[in-house]
Amino acid sequence: MLKVFTYCNAKGHLGAYEIANFSESAEHYQGFLTDGGGIRTFRKDRVIEYFDNLKAAQAGIPESYSPPEIIKPKKQSLPTICFTGFKKDLKAQLCNQAEAADIGVRTGVSGSLSYLCCGPNAGPVKLENARAAGALVLSELQFLSMLETGEVPEHDEQFHYTLESTQTK
């Protein structure tokens, strides 16, 4: 299952993307870049146009482009997060930060989970279960940036989950 589109990021840069094995929520797509770039998160309101293939999407980027006004999505209910793969002390600190920001902390993956924040020891099964339930997968840096800016960053260079690492052998 592939999704191909042009997309304007938070800095106003326009690019063409093809994601595989994607999941979606009301506001986001999350999937693996087919060029091997790992897992990425995209806001639906920043998708410019959908295409059948990446070549067409790349050709569809206009030479003179001015980004649309980005409107923050409406909050429907309090978000929830589960932290996995972290040492006990860091996990407790992250839980405290989430609770201070009115984000409900969960101990496991369920259908109502909004985010799964993965540390260095997170397992691929929990990651895939969270994505299947529609939760967005975040690194620690993406979570901290979300707390600071209110926006989910689309990528973290240090986050090394790839499509291949989540496939059972």
Side-chain angles (χ1 to χ4, degrees):
M1 152 166 82
L2 296 175
K3 183 74 75 177
V4 183
F5 50 87
T6 51
Y7 181 83
C8 180
N9 70 15
K11 295 180 181 176
H13 297 118
L14 188 64
Y17 298 93
E18 180 177 64
I19 55 175
N21 192 22
F22 68 92
S23 58
E24 66 180 286
S25 68
E27 294 91 18
H28 296 92
Y29 292 115
Q30 187 171 66
F32 294 92
L33 292 175
T34 57
D35 66 4
I39 193 168
R40 295 282 295 269
T41 304
F42 298 93
R43 282 179 43 174
K44 287 182 175 180
D45 62 339
R46 291 191 177 166
V47 172
I48 305 304
E49 188 175 352
Y50 295 94
F51 293 87
D52 292 330
N53 59 63
L54 187 57
K55 195 171 196 173
Q58 290 166 337
I61 297 175
E63 288 188 29
S64 60
Y65 174 77
S66 60
E69 180 183 345
I70 306 290
I71 301 168
K72 289 187 177 184
K74 297 177 184 175
K75 290 186 178 180
Q76 296 173 348
S77 62
L78 289 179
T80 57
I81 192 165
C82 175
F83 296 96
T84 187
F86 293 100
K87 291 185 178 180
K88 186 177 180 181
D89 292 343
L90 179 55
K91 183 176 180 176
Q93 180 183 355
L94 292 169
C95 288
N96 289 337
Q97 288 176 293
E99 289 170 345
D102 289 330
I103 299 173
V105 177
R106 303 290 180 257
T107 58
V109 174
S110 69
S112 64
L113 189 68
S114 305
Y115 307 104
L116 177 69
C117 185
C118 296
N121 297 319
V125 172
K126 191 173 262 188
L127 176 124
E128 284 305 306
N129 288 343
R131 290 192 61 235
L136 292 180
V137 177
L138 305 174
S139 68
E140 177 186 356
L141 291 176
Q142 287 174 305
F143 168 69
L144 294 174
S145 178
M146 182 181 73
L147 289 181
E148 185 178 317
T149 66
E151 186 168 301
V152 178
E154 58 192 69
H155 186 58
D156 175 0
E157 292 291 331
Q158 304 300 313
F159 197 44
H160 295 292
Y161 277 115
T162 61
L163 180 59
E164 292 77 26
S165 70
T166 63
Q167 302 299 302
T168 49
K169 310 257 180 195

